[in-house]
Amino acid sequence: SHPPLYPPPGRPPTVTMAMTGITVPDEVQGLFNDFKLKRTPHFAMFFKIEGDEVVEDTAMHVPKEGSDFDSILEKLDESTPRYVVIDFNYETTDGRPADKIIFVAWIPDTCKIKDKMKYSGTKESVKSAFVGIAVNINATDMSEVTVDEVTAACNKV
């Protein structure tokens, strides 16, 4: 008796399957790649877990035009976890303008335990599917995702 084959024969291994069983579909990776390459009108894109997949949360996206960092924070809800990618412009410690792609795992302390476990358990798969993230931020409350915190994290890297 041999152990079961993983992945099943004929199916390529996928780096996007989390221990939670939740997958990051190719089209979601494609959306992130377009975002990373500045091919979208978005300053920030939001993703959520729906069923057993990570999906785009289109209603939450923040456009580049007329938006600032507060526009992102206004979308975050203390009871609803989300994954957020931000095309973040900042100033380096020596005063040069720079930008980085930021990944925020917004998993508030106040959300349901089941959601907290699902989002925490899937986070690494999302990060590995989104190739090109410069800075990772795990935020459990608003104080961990301020413009100053994000700028400090960018300057640390």
Side-chain angles (χ1 to χ4, degrees):
S1 71
H2 295 285
L5 290 175
Y6 183 78
R11 189 169 154 206
T14 174
V15 295
T16 55
M17 170 78 86
M19 284 172 43
T20 54
I22 294 164
T23 59
V24 183
D26 290 346
E27 62 267 21
V28 169
Q29 292 178 45
L31 289 167
F32 171 77
N33 286 333
D34 285 346
F35 174 79
K36 173 181 71 179
L37 298 170
K38 301 184 187 305
R39 293 182 188 149
T40 73
H42 308 303
F43 169 43
M45 290 181 76
F46 286 71
F47 297 89
K48 63 184 175 183
I49 295 173
E50 208 167 72
D52 61 357
E53 288 187 336
V54 173
V55 298
E56 184 183 14
D57 191 351
T58 46
M60 301 278 282
H61 294 339
V62 176
K64 286 179 193 162
E65 284 301 308
S67 298
D68 60 10
F69 200 77
D70 286 341
S71 307
I72 298 167
L73 299 181
E74 287 164 12
K75 301 266 185 175
L76 297 176
D77 178 322
E78 295 285 341
S79 63
T80 312
R82 286 290 181 268
Y83 302 119
V84 189
V85 289
I86 305 166
D87 187 358
F88 187 68
N89 295 303
Y90 67 102
E91 201 171 271
T92 61
T93 46
D94 59 2
R96 291 175 296 114
D99 71 290
K100 287 187 176 162
I101 299 295
I102 313 296
F103 175 81
V104 177
W106 171 250
I107 307 171
D109 281 333
T110 47
C111 74
K112 292 182 190 142
I113 295 287
K114 186 178 170 189
D115 288 343
K116 203 182 290 192
M117 290 171 66
K118 196 170 20 172
Y119 276 80
S120 297
T122 307
K123 176 179 61 186
E124 291 305 318
S125 293
V126 176
K127 283 170 28 182
S128 64
F130 289 0
V131 178
I133 293 167
V135 176
N136 295 300
I137 294 175
N138 297 315
T140 57
D141 65 51
M142 289 293 187
S143 71
E144 295 172 324
V145 70
T146 64
V147 73
D148 293 340
E149 285 292 321
V150 175
T151 302
C154 287
N155 279 318
K156 247 188 259 173
V157 178

